[in-house]
Amino acid sequence: MRRSKPQPIRNKLDLADRTQVRLVRKRLGLSDAELTSIVERIGNSIAAISKEAAPQRATTLPKPDDVLPAAVIASAAVGEQAPPK
């Protein structure tokens, strides 16, 4: 007899499957601790996890380039000076 391979449930996160956890973490931009805490609070539904992770991503600002703030202010001030009349 041939037994069919059990198909995974597509909308549930299996925390025992390291590959699935890694892919979800990478897609949502979460750390292991953040993903674990969300799953403990919300559950293992991928839709619920992504909905919960969206506000966290929105509040996280990207790191600015390595430009000194004084240099940015000085360059903006030079560009805004009005020509003499």
Coordinates of all heavy atoms in Angstrom, one line a residue:
M1 N 0.8 -1.2 0.0 CA 0.0 0.0 0.0 C 0.9 1.2 0.0 O 1.9 1.3 0.7 CB -0.9 0.0 1.3 CG -2.0 -0.9 1.2 SD -3.3 -0.8 2.5 CE -2.6 0.1 3.8
R2 N 0.4 2.2 -0.8 CA 1.1 3.5 -0.7 C 0.4 4.4 0.2 O -0.8 4.6 0.1 CB 1.1 4.1 -2.1 CG 2.0 3.4 -3.1 CD 2.1 4.0 -4.4 NE 2.7 5.4 -4.3 CZ 2.7 6.3 -5.2 NH1 2.1 6.0 -6.4 NH2 3.3 7.4 -5.1
R3 N 1.1 5.0 1.1 CA 0.5 6.0 2.0 C 0.9 7.4 1.5 O 2.1 7.6 1.1 CB 1.0 5.8 3.4 CG 0.6 4.5 4.0 CD 1.0 4.5 5.4 NE 0.6 3.2 6.0 CZ 0.7 2.8 7.2 NH1 1.2 3.7 8.1 NH2 0.3 1.7 7.6
S4 N -0.1 8.2 1.5 CA 0.2 9.6 1.0 C 0.9 10.4 2.1 O 0.7 10.1 3.3 CB -1.1 10.3 0.7 OG -1.9 10.4 1.8
K5 N 1.8 11.2 1.7 CA 2.5 12.1 2.7 C 1.5 13.1 3.2 O 0.8 13.7 2.5 CB 3.7 12.8 1.9 CG 4.5 13.7 2.8 CD 5.5 14.4 2.0 CE 6.3 15.4 2.8 NZ 7.3 16.1 2.0
P6 N 1.5 13.3 4.5 CA 0.5 14.2 5.1 C 0.9 15.7 4.6 O 2.0 16.1 4.7 CB 0.7 14.1 6.6 CG 1.9 13.3 6.8 CD 2.3 12.6 5.6
Q7 N -0.1 16.3 4.1 CA 0.1 17.7 3.6 C 0.1 18.7 4.8 O -0.8 18.6 5.7 CB -1.0 18.1 2.6 CG -0.9 17.3 1.3 CD 0.4 17.5 0.6 OE1 0.9 18.7 0.5 NE2 1.0 16.5 0.0
P8 N 1.0 19.6 4.9 CA 1.0 20.6 5.9 C -0.2 21.5 5.8 O -0.7 21.8 4.7 CB 2.3 21.3 5.8 CG 2.6 21.2 4.4 CD 2.1 19.8 3.9
I9 N -0.7 22.0 6.9 CA -1.8 23.0 6.8 C -1.1 24.3 6.4 O -0.2 24.8 7.1 CB -2.4 23.1 8.2 CG1 -3.0 21.8 8.6 CG2 -3.5 24.2 8.2 CD1 -3.6 21.7 10.0
R10 N -1.6 24.9 5.4 CA -0.9 26.0 4.7 C -1.0 27.3 5.5 O -0.2 28.2 5.3 CB -1.4 26.2 3.3 CG -1.1 25.0 2.5 CD -1.6 25.2 1.1 NE -0.9 26.4 0.5 CZ -0.7 26.5 -0.8 NH1 -1.2 25.6 -1.6 NH2 0.0 27.5 -1.2
N11 N -2.0 27.5 6.3 CA -2.2 28.8 7.0 C -1.8 28.7 8.5 O -2.1 29.6 9.2 CB -3.6 29.3 6.8 CG -4.6 28.3 7.4 OD1 -4.3 27.2 7.8 ND2 -5.9 28.8 7.5
K12 N -1.1 27.7 8.9 CA -0.7 27.5 10.3 C 0.8 27.4 10.3 O 1.4 26.7 9.4 CB -1.3 26.3 10.9 CG -2.8 26.3 11.0 CD -3.3 27.3 11.9 CE -4.8 27.2 12.0 NZ -5.4 28.2 12.8
L13 N 1.4 28.0 11.3 CA 2.9 28.0 11.4 C 3.2 26.8 12.3 O 2.7 26.7 13.5 CB 3.4 29.3 12.0 CG 4.9 29.4 12.3 CD1 5.7 29.3 11.0 CD2 5.2 30.7 13.0
D14 N 4.1 25.9 11.9 CA 4.6 24.8 12.7 C 5.9 25.2 13.3 O 6.9 25.3 12.6 CB 4.7 23.6 11.8 CG 5.2 22.4 12.6 OD1 5.1 22.4 13.8 OD2 5.6 21.4 11.9
L15 N 5.9 25.5 14.6 CA 7.2 26.0 15.2 C 8.2 24.9 15.3 O 9.4 25.2 15.5 CB 6.9 26.5 16.6 CG 6.1 27.8 16.7 CD1 5.8 28.2 18.1 CD2 6.8 28.9 16.0
A16 N 7.9 23.6 15.1 CA 8.8 22.5 15.0 C 9.6 22.5 13.7 O 10.7 21.9 13.6 CB 8.1 21.2 15.3
D17 N 9.0 23.1 12.6 CA 9.6 23.1 11.3 C 10.5 24.3 11.2 O 10.1 25.4 11.0 CB 8.5 23.1 10.2 CG 9.1 23.0 8.8 OD1 10.3 22.9 8.7 OD2 8.3 23.0 7.9
R18 N 11.8 24.1 11.4 CA 12.8 25.3 11.4 C 12.8 26.0 10.1 O 13.0 27.2 10.1 CB 14.2 24.8 11.7 CG 14.3 24.1 13.1 CD 13.8 25.0 14.2 NE 14.5 26.3 14.3 CZ 14.1 27.3 15.0 NH1 12.9 27.3 15.7 NH2 14.7 28.5 15.0
T19 N 12.6 25.3 9.0 CA 12.6 26.0 7.7 C 11.4 27.0 7.6 O 11.6 28.1 7.1 CB 12.6 25.0 6.5 OG1 13.7 24.1 6.7 CG2 12.7 25.7 5.2
Q20 N 10.3 26.5 8.0 CA 9.1 27.3 7.9 C 9.2 28.5 8.8 O 8.9 29.6 8.4 CB 7.9 26.5 8.3 CG 6.6 27.2 8.0 CD 5.4 26.3 8.4 OE1 5.5 25.4 9.1 NE2 4.2 26.7 7.9
V21 N 9.7 28.3 10.0 CA 9.9 29.4 11.0 C 10.9 30.4 10.4 O 10.7 31.6 10.5 CB 10.4 28.9 12.3 CG1 10.8 30.0 13.2 CG2 9.3 28.1 13.0
R22 N 12.0 30.0 9.8 CA 13.0 30.9 9.2 C 12.4 31.7 8.1 O 12.6 32.9 8.0 CB 14.2 30.1 8.7 CG 15.3 31.0 8.1 CD 16.5 30.1 7.7 NE 16.2 29.0 6.9 CZ 16.0 29.0 5.6 NH1 16.1 30.1 4.9 NH2 15.7 27.9 4.9
L23 N 11.6 31.1 7.2 CA 11.0 31.8 6.1 C 10.0 32.8 6.6 O 10.0 34.0 6.1 CB 10.3 30.8 5.2 CG 11.3 29.9 4.4 CD1 10.5 28.9 3.6 CD2 12.1 30.7 3.4
V24 N 9.2 32.5 7.6 CA 8.2 33.4 8.1 C 8.9 34.6 8.8 O 8.5 35.8 8.6 CB 7.2 32.7 9.1 CG1 6.3 33.7 9.8 CG2 6.3 31.8 8.3
R25 N 9.9 34.3 9.6 CA 10.7 35.4 10.2 C 11.3 36.3 9.2 O 11.3 37.5 9.4 CB 11.8 34.8 11.1 CG 11.4 34.4 12.5 CD 12.6 34.0 13.4 NE 13.8 33.5 12.7 CZ 14.9 34.2 12.5 NH1 15.0 35.4 12.9 NH2 16.0 33.7 11.9
K26 N 11.9 35.8 8.2 CA 12.5 36.6 7.2 C 11.5 37.4 6.4 O 11.7 38.6 6.2 CB 13.3 35.7 6.2 CG 14.1 36.5 5.2 CD 14.9 35.5 4.3 CE 15.8 36.3 3.3 NZ 16.6 35.4 2.5
R27 N 10.4 36.9 6.1 CA 9.3 37.6 5.4 C 8.8 38.7 6.2 O 8.5 39.8 5.7 CB 8.2 36.6 4.9 CG 7.2 37.3 4.0 CD 6.1 36.4 3.7 NE 5.1 36.5 4.7 CZ 4.1 35.7 4.9 NH1 4.0 34.7 4.1 NH2 3.3 35.8 5.9
L28 N 8.6 38.5 7.5 CA 8.0 39.5 8.4 C 9.0 40.4 9.0 O 8.6 41.4 9.6 CB 7.1 38.8 9.4 CG 6.0 38.0 8.9 CD1 5.3 37.3 10.1 CD2 5.0 38.9 8.1
G29 N 10.3 40.1 8.9 CA 11.3 40.9 9.5 C 11.3 40.8 11.0 O 11.5 41.9 11.7
L30 N 11.1 39.7 11.6 CA 11.0 39.5 13.1 C 12.2 38.7 13.6 O 12.8 37.9 12.8 CB 9.7 38.8 13.4 CG 8.4 39.4 13.1 CD1 7.3 38.5 13.4 CD2 8.3 40.7 13.9
S31 N 12.5 38.9 14.8 CA 13.5 38.0 15.5 C 12.9 36.8 16.0 O 11.6 36.7 16.1 CB 14.2 38.8 16.6 OG 13.3 39.0 17.7
D32 N 13.7 35.8 16.5 CA 13.1 34.6 17.1 C 12.2 34.9 18.3 O 11.1 34.4 18.5 CB 14.2 33.7 17.5 CG 14.8 32.9 16.4 OD1 14.1 32.6 15.4 OD2 16.0 32.5 16.5
A33 N 12.7 35.8 19.2 CA 12.0 36.2 20.4 C 10.7 36.9 20.0 O 9.6 36.6 20.6 CB 12.8 37.1 21.3
E34 N 10.7 37.8 19.0 CA 9.5 38.5 18.6 C 8.4 37.5 18.1 O 7.2 37.6 18.4 CB 9.8 39.6 17.6 CG 10.5 40.7 18.2 CD 11.0 41.7 17.1 OE1 11.2 41.2 15.9 OE2 11.2 42.9 17.4
L35 N 8.9 36.6 17.2 CA 8.0 35.6 16.6 C 7.4 34.7 17.7 O 6.2 34.5 17.7 CB 8.7 34.8 15.5 CG 7.8 33.8 14.8 CD1 6.7 34.4 14.1 CD2 8.7 32.9 13.9
T36 N 8.2 34.3 18.6 CA 7.7 33.4 19.7 C 6.7 34.1 20.5 O 5.7 33.5 20.9 CB 8.9 32.9 20.5 OG1 9.8 32.3 19.7 CG2 8.4 31.9 21.6
S37 N 7.0 35.3 20.9 CA 6.0 36.1 21.7 C 4.7 36.3 21.0 O 3.6 36.2 21.6 CB 6.6 37.4 22.2 OG 6.8 38.3 21.2
I38 N 4.7 36.6 19.7 CA 3.5 36.8 19.0 C 2.7 35.5 18.9 O 1.5 35.5 19.1 CB 3.8 37.3 17.6 CG1 4.3 38.8 17.7 CG2 2.6 37.3 16.7 CD1 4.8 39.4 16.3
V39 N 3.4 34.4 18.7 CA 2.7 33.1 18.6 C 2.1 32.7 19.9 O 1.0 32.2 20.0 CB 3.7 32.0 18.1 CG1 3.1 30.6 18.2 CG2 4.1 32.2 16.6
E40 N 2.8 33.0 21.0 CA 2.2 32.7 22.3 C 1.0 33.6 22.6 O 0.0 33.1 23.2 CB 3.2 33.0 23.4 CG 4.3 32.0 23.5 CD 5.5 32.3 24.4 OE1 5.4 33.4 25.0 OE2 6.4 31.5 24.6
R41 N 0.9 34.8 22.1 CA -0.2 35.7 22.4 C -1.3 35.4 21.4 O -2.5 35.3 21.8 CB 0.2 37.2 22.2 CG 0.9 37.7 23.4 CD 1.2 39.2 23.3 NE 2.2 39.4 22.3 CZ 2.1 40.3 21.3 NH1 1.1 41.0 21.1 NH2 3.1 40.4 20.4
I42 N -1.1 35.3 20.1 CA -2.1 35.3 19.1 C -2.4 33.9 18.7 O -3.6 33.6 18.5 CB -1.6 36.1 17.8 CG1 -1.2 37.5 18.2 CG2 -2.6 36.1 16.7 CD1 -2.3 38.3 18.8
G43 N -1.5 33.0 18.5 CA -1.7 31.7 18.0 C -0.8 31.4 16.8 O 0.1 32.3 16.5
N44 N -1.0 30.3 16.1 CA 0.0 30.0 15.1 C -0.6 30.2 13.7 O -0.1 29.7 12.7 CB 0.4 28.5 15.2 CG -0.7 27.5 15.0 OD1 -1.9 27.9 15.1 ND2 -0.4 26.3 14.8
S45 N -1.6 31.0 13.5 CA -2.2 31.4 12.2 C -1.2 32.4 11.6 O -0.9 33.4 12.2 CB -3.6 32.0 12.4 OG -4.0 32.6 11.2
I46 N -0.8 32.1 10.4 CA 0.2 33.0 9.7 C -0.5 34.3 9.4 O 0.2 35.3 9.5 CB 0.7 32.3 8.4 CG1 1.6 31.1 8.8 CG2 1.5 33.2 7.6 CD1 2.1 30.3 7.7
A47 N -1.7 34.3 9.1 CA -2.4 35.6 8.8 C -2.5 36.5 10.0 O -2.2 37.7 10.0 CB -3.8 35.3 8.3
A48 N -2.8 35.9 11.2 CA -2.8 36.6 12.4 C -1.4 37.1 12.8 O -1.3 38.2 13.3 CB -3.4 35.8 13.5
I49 N -0.4 36.3 12.6 CA 1.0 36.7 12.9 C 1.4 37.9 12.1 O 2.0 38.8 12.6 CB 1.9 35.5 12.8 CG1 1.6 34.4 13.8 CG2 3.4 35.9 12.9 CD1 2.3 33.1 13.5
S50 N 1.1 37.8 10.8 CA 1.5 38.9 9.9 C 0.7 40.2 10.2 O 1.3 41.3 10.1 CB 1.3 38.5 8.4 OG 0.0 38.2 8.1
K51 N -0.5 40.0 10.6 CA -1.3 41.2 11.0 C -0.8 41.8 12.2 O -0.7 43.1 12.4 CB -2.8 40.8 11.2 CG -3.7 42.0 11.3 CD -5.2 41.5 11.6 CE -5.7 40.9 10.3 NZ -7.2 40.6 10.4
E52 N -0.3 41.0 13.2 CA 0.2 41.5 14.4 C 1.6 42.1 14.2 O 2.0 43.1 14.9 CB 0.3 40.4 15.4 CG 0.8 40.8 16.8 CD -0.1 41.7 17.6 OE1 -1.3 41.7 17.3 OE2 0.3 42.4 18.5
A53 N 2.4 41.6 13.2 CA 3.7 42.1 13.0 C 3.7 43.4 12.2 O 4.7 44.1 12.2 CB 4.5 41.0 12.2
A54 N 2.7 43.7 11.4 CA 2.6 44.9 10.6 C 2.8 46.2 11.4 O 3.6 47.0 11.0 CB 1.3 44.9 9.8
P55 N 2.1 46.4 12.5 CA 2.4 47.6 13.3 C 3.8 47.7 13.8 O 4.3 48.8 13.9 CB 1.3 47.5 14.4 CG 0.3 46.6 14.0 CD 1.0 45.6 13.1
Q56 N 4.4 46.5 14.2 CA 5.7 46.6 14.7 C 6.7 47.0 13.6 O 7.7 47.7 13.8 CB 6.1 45.2 15.2 CG 5.5 44.8 16.5 CD 5.9 43.4 16.9 OE1 6.8 42.8 16.3 NE2 5.3 43.0 18.0
R57 N 6.5 46.6 12.4 CA 7.3 47.0 11.3 C 7.2 48.4 10.9 O 8.1 49.1 10.6 CB 7.0 46.2 10.0 CG 7.6 44.8 10.0 CD 7.5 44.2 8.7 NE 6.2 44.3 8.1 CZ 5.4 43.3 7.7 NH1 5.9 42.1 7.7 NH2 4.2 43.5 7.2
A58 N 5.9 49.0 11.1 CA 5.6 50.3 10.8 C 6.3 51.3 11.8 O 6.7 52.4 11.4 CB 4.1 50.6 10.7
T59 N 6.4 50.9 13.0 CA 7.0 51.7 14.0 C 8.5 51.7 14.0 O 9.2 52.5 14.6 CB 6.5 51.4 15.4 OG1 6.8 50.0 15.7 CG2 5.0 51.6 15.5
T60 N 9.1 50.7 13.4 CA 10.5 50.5 13.4 C 11.1 51.4 12.2 O 10.7 51.1 11.1 CB 10.9 49.1 13.2 OG1 10.4 48.3 14.2 CG2 12.4 48.9 13.2
L61 N 11.9 52.3 12.5 CA 12.5 53.2 11.5 C 13.8 52.5 11.0 O 14.5 52.0 11.8 CB 12.8 54.6 12.1 CG 11.6 55.3 12.5 CD1 12.1 56.6 13.2 CD2 10.7 55.7 11.4
P62 N 14.0 52.7 9.7 CA 15.3 52.1 9.2 C 16.4 53.0 9.7 O 16.3 54.2 10.0 CB 15.1 52.3 7.7 CG 14.1 53.3 7.5 CD 13.2 53.3 8.7
K63 N 17.6 52.4 9.8 CA 18.8 53.1 10.2 C 19.2 54.1 9.2 O 19.3 53.8 8.0 CB 20.0 52.1 10.5 CG 19.8 51.2 11.7 CD 21.0 50.4 11.9 CE 20.8 49.7 13.2 NZ 22.1 49.0 13.6
P64 N 19.5 55.3 9.6 CA 20.0 56.3 8.7 C 21.4 56.0 8.2 O 22.1 55.3 8.8 CB 19.9 57.6 9.5 CG 20.1 57.2 10.9 CD 19.4 55.8 11.0
D65 N 21.7 56.6 7.1 CA 23.1 56.4 6.6 C 24.1 57.1 7.5 O 23.7 57.8 8.4 CB 23.2 57.1 5.2 CG 22.4 56.4 4.1 OD1 22.1 55.2 4.3 OD2 22.0 57.0 3.1
D66 N 25.3 56.7 7.3 CA 26.3 57.3 8.2 C 26.7 58.7 7.8 O 27.8 59.0 7.4 CB 27.6 56.4 8.2 CG 27.3 55.0 8.8 OD1 26.5 54.9 9.7 OD2 27.9 54.1 8.3
V67 N 25.7 59.6 8.0 CA 26.0 61.0 7.7 C 25.8 61.8 9.0 O 24.8 61.6 9.7 CB 24.9 61.5 6.6 CG1 25.1 63.0 6.4 CG2 25.1 60.7 5.4
L68 N 26.7 62.6 9.2 CA 26.6 63.4 10.5 C 25.5 64.4 10.3 O 25.3 65.0 9.3 CB 27.9 64.2 10.7 CG 29.2 63.3 10.9 CD1 30.4 64.1 11.0 CD2 29.0 62.4 12.1
P69 N 24.7 64.6 11.4 CA 23.6 65.6 11.3 C 24.0 67.0 11.0 O 23.3 67.7 10.3 CB 22.9 65.5 12.7 CG 23.4 64.2 13.2 CD 24.7 63.9 12.6
A70 N 25.2 67.4 11.5 CA 25.7 68.8 11.3 C 25.9 68.9 9.8 O 25.7 70.0 9.2 CB 26.9 69.0 12.1
A71 N 26.5 67.9 9.1 CA 26.8 68.0 7.7 C 25.5 68.1 6.9 O 25.4 68.9 5.9 CB 27.6 66.8 7.3
V72 N 24.5 67.4 7.3 CA 23.2 67.5 6.6 C 22.6 68.9 6.8 O 22.1 69.4 5.8 CB 22.2 66.4 7.1 CG1 20.9 66.5 6.5 CG2 22.8 65.0 6.8
I73 N 22.6 69.4 8.0 CA 22.0 70.7 8.2 C 22.8 71.8 7.4 O 22.2 72.7 6.8 CB 22.0 71.0 9.7 CG1 21.1 70.1 10.4 CG2 21.6 72.5 10.0 CD1 21.1 70.1 11.9
A74 N 24.1 71.7 7.4 CA 24.9 72.7 6.7 C 24.6 72.6 5.2 O 24.5 73.7 4.6 CB 26.4 72.5 7.0
S75 N 24.5 71.4 4.7 CA 24.3 71.3 3.2 C 22.9 71.8 2.9 O 22.7 72.4 1.8 CB 24.5 69.9 2.8 OG 23.5 69.1 3.3
A76 N 21.9 71.6 3.7 CA 20.6 72.1 3.5 C 20.5 73.6 3.6 O 19.8 74.3 2.8 CB 19.6 71.5 4.5
A77 N 21.2 74.2 4.6 CA 21.2 75.6 4.7 C 21.9 76.3 3.6 O 21.5 77.4 3.1 CB 22.0 76.0 6.1
V78 N 22.9 75.7 3.0 CA 23.6 76.3 1.9 C 22.7 76.3 0.7 O 22.6 77.3 -0.1 CB 24.9 75.6 1.6 CG1 25.5 76.0 0.2 CG2 25.9 75.8 2.7
G79 N 21.9 75.3 0.5 CA 21.0 75.1 -0.7 C 19.8 76.0 -0.6 O 19.2 76.4 -1.6
E80 N 19.4 76.5 0.6 CA 18.2 77.3 0.8 C 18.5 78.8 0.8 O 17.6 79.6 0.9 CB 17.5 76.9 2.1 CG 17.0 75.5 2.1 CD 16.3 75.1 3.4 OE1 16.3 76.0 4.3 OE2 15.9 74.0 3.5
Q81 N 19.7 79.2 0.8 CA 20.0 80.6 0.8 C 19.5 81.3 -0.4 O 19.6 80.8 -1.5 CB 21.5 80.9 0.9 CG 22.1 80.5 2.3 CD 23.6 80.7 2.3 OE1 24.2 80.9 1.3 NE2 24.2 80.5 3.5
A82 N 18.9 82.4 -0.2 CA 18.3 83.2 -1.3 C 19.4 84.0 -2.0 O 20.3 84.5 -1.3 CB 17.2 84.1 -0.8
P83 N 19.3 84.2 -3.3 CA 20.3 85.0 -4.0 C 20.2 86.4 -3.6 O 19.1 86.9 -3.3 CB 20.0 84.7 -5.5 CG 18.6 84.2 -5.5 CD 18.3 83.6 -4.2
P84 N 21.3 87.1 -3.5 CA 21.3 88.6 -3.1 C 20.6 89.4 -4.2 O 20.7 89.1 -5.4 CB 22.7 89.0 -3.0 CG 23.5 87.9 -3.7 CD 22.7 86.7 -3.7
K85 N 19.8 90.4 -3.8 CA 19.1 91.2 -4.7 C 19.9 92.5 -5.0 O 20.6 93.1 -4.4 CB 17.8 91.6 -4.1 CG 16.9 90.4 -4.1 CD 15.5 90.9 -3.6 CE 14.6 89.7 -3.6 NZ 13.2 90.0 -3.2

